[in-house]
Amino acid sequence: MLIDNHNRVINYVRLAVTDRCNLRCNYCMPEEGIAFSDRKSLLSIDEMKRLCNILVGQGVDKIRITGGEPFVRKDLMKLLAYITKLEGLKEVSITTNATLIGPHIEQLEDFGINSINVSLDAITPETFHRITRRDQFELVRENLMRLIESEIAVRINFIVLEGQNEEDIYEMLEFQRKHDVRVRFLEEMPFNGGSRNFRNLNWNHRKILEHIRGRYPDFEKLPAPLTSTSVNYKIPGHTGSFGIIPSFSRTFCGSCNRLRVTATGDLITCLYGKPVANLRTTLRSGLHDSFVEEALVRAVGSRAKDGFEAQDQFGPIFGSSMTSIGG
Ligand code: SAM
């Protein structure tokens, strides 16, 4: 079992399978994209399978596949077919912009994917285009509806962006009034690939909640696991629910149970810190799995207490893009 130097059990890994994305969300990347990694430096599917095996052997029971956009990676389904059968892995989930998922939905259900987070920061085609710089709102909406009707649990992640989509907050709540989906409102973070200047955060978790209270005063707090990053609520009579994630305020670090591995094998022990090791080098060195295990144990043995300490310890990484970190 992986236990960090603050006595937190690490059982959840977010694995990015690519740093490429087919959208250009203005809070994530500049319009022209970033310097994407060349193909050879990405972990191969076999390397990822091996890594997942090692992680599960060390007590990881939840893996979330992310990116870039995970479905940009053509061989993604091979990885999913494999890891969804791994004994000991209780949950496989995916974070996606839902543009390319359409042809795979049935197979994802067959694989037994537990949950899918759809990143969607707009409820109208105009706002969607303004934020993502692409015209794919209708496609995303169609795929989202198919996902909601499927066996897979669906959540919508909506980043509250000052001056860009605040008017869609109530519309999103109307959406979960009718549909069985949890809409999670997230604070914007300063990982934008240099696409925008990040000023002080105005729409923090408190302001988001107060804004919601203005229209829906009767919401009730829902119970949540200790390791949950979102505080969740239900509005009486609504089919779905909503949550708020203080991703910039970082109020949840005390129970953080997660590691991140980027598409190039960088191991990140805190979203606000720099990579602490590169696992690709070890995976490709011809060495036994125990060397990868040792690298993981070493990394979790010196984790920052929280995102603020990580930021101080490692120097600000603000300006890097979430497309290479995986969110
Ligand atoms: N392409 C996939 C998607 O859209 O979900 C996975 C990768 S994307 C980088 C993961 C998440 O990071 C998305 O929900 C996106 O909204 C979020 N994200 C990107 N930049 C962000 C920022 N500056 N602040 C907060 N969240 C951000």
Side-chain angles (χ1 to χ4, degrees):
M1 198 184 268
L2 291 167
I3 301 179
D4 78 6
N5 46 320
H6 304 282
N7 232 9
R8 294 173 292 203
V9 174
I10 310 295
N11 65 330
Y12 172 20
V13 169
R14 299 173 65 100
L15 174 63
V17 294
T18 177
D19 57 357
R20 285 168 196 269
C21 188
N22 55 334
L23 300 184
R24 286 288 177 276
C25 300
N26 61 26
Y27 58 91
C28 184
M29 263 196 276
E31 186 151 20
E32 66 279 12
I34 55 161
F36 296 110
S37 308
D38 64 78
R39 208 167 289 267
K40 276 192 241 131
S41 57
L42 299 183
L43 293 183
S44 69
I45 293 297
D46 283 341
E47 287 163 345
M48 285 191 261
K49 285 182 186 173
R50 182 175 162 210
L51 178 61
C52 289
N53 243 315
I54 295 172
L55 288 163
V56 172
Q58 287 183 302
V60 167
D61 60 13
K62 173 174 177 183
I63 293 180
R64 173 173 296 280
I65 300 299
T66 178
E69 170 47 39
F71 289 91
V72 161
R73 181 123 185 191
K74 297 278 185 298
D75 45 9
L76 173 66
M77 298 306 275
K78 286 188 196 150
L79 176 69
L80 293 175
Y82 178 81
I83 64 171
T84 46
K85 290 200 181 60
L86 275 182
E87 212 171 306
L89 190 57
K90 294 192 194 131
E91 204 177 320
V92 178
S93 48
I94 305 172
T95 295
T96 174
N97 61 31
T99 52
L100 305 169
I101 200 171
H104 305 292
I105 293 176
E106 276 171 25
Q107 206 176 3
L108 294 170
E109 272 186 293
D110 291 345
F111 286 165
I113 296 294
N114 300 85
S115 72
I116 294 188
N117 287 356
V118 173
S119 304
L120 180 61
D121 313 307
I123 201 106
T124 64
E126 295 74 30
T127 311
F128 184 90
H129 182 264
R130 234 184 7 253
I131 295 174
T132 66
R133 303 176 173 120
R134 297 289 185 270
D135 272 325
Q136 299 203 288
F137 178 77
E138 296 305 339
L139 180 61
V140 170
R141 195 184 157 91
E142 188 189 317
N143 287 336
L144 173 63
M145 296 315 295
R146 285 182 57 204
L147 284 167
I148 290 173
E149 280 155 25
S150 78
E151 297 289 305
I152 306 169
V154 184
R155 298 188 296 208
I156 296 174
N157 282 353
F158 178 105
I159 317 293
V160 181
L161 302 161
E162 188 174 3
Q164 298 206 70
N165 64 0
E166 301 103 315
E167 71 282 4
D168 284 5
I169 296 175
Y170 290 152
E171 295 301 320
M172 273 290 171
L173 290 165
E174 284 306 302
F175 187 81
Q176 64 76 46
R177 177 202 288 271
K178 292 180 234 134
H179 302 289
D180 183 15
V181 66
R182 174 168 293 165
V183 179
R184 304 188 314 168
F185 299 98
L186 287 90
E187 294 176 346
E188 185 181 0
M189 292 179 270
F191 307 102
N192 56 31
S195 64
R196 280 165 21 90
N197 283 333
F198 191 84
R199 288 155 288 140
N200 281 342
L201 186 73
N202 182 24
W203 280 91
N204 64 21
H205 61 113
R206 283 188 214 92
K207 176 158 170 156
I208 299 170
L209 194 63
E210 281 320 299
H211 180 72
I212 293 173
R213 203 190 298 281
R215 170 87 56 105
Y216 306 92
D218 298 328
F219 55 74
E220 289 154 13
K221 197 165 173 182
L222 294 172
L226 193 65
T227 51
S228 174
T229 52
S230 64
V231 185
N232 303 317
Y233 304 90
K234 177 106 184 152
I235 302 171
H238 287 203
T239 313
S241 58
F242 76 92
I244 298 185
I245 305 191
S247 26
F248 185 63
S249 303
R250 291 162 260 181
T251 53
F252 44 67
C253 300
S255 57
C256 181
N257 62 342
R258 58 188 67 187
L259 293 179
R260 291 174 166 80
V261 180
T262 71
T264 56
D266 276 342
L267 179 62
I268 296 176
T269 56
C270 172
L271 183 55
Y272 284 83
K274 287 195 172 123
V276 293
N278 184 273
L279 301 177
R280 186 193 62 220
T281 323
T282 320
L283 285 164
R284 287 187 187 169
S285 62
L287 293 167
H288 190 262
D289 285 358
S290 59
F291 285 84
V292 181
E293 287 164 8
E294 270 169 37
L296 287 160
V297 169
R298 241 191 337 270
V300 303
S302 57
R303 268 180 107 211
K305 171 167 69 65
D306 55 33
F308 297 99
E309 188 179 292
Q311 187 183 324
D312 290 346
Q313 197 174 331
F314 301 106
I317 53 161
F318 298 166
S320 15
S321 168
M322 206 62 115
T323 197
S324 41
I325 308 171

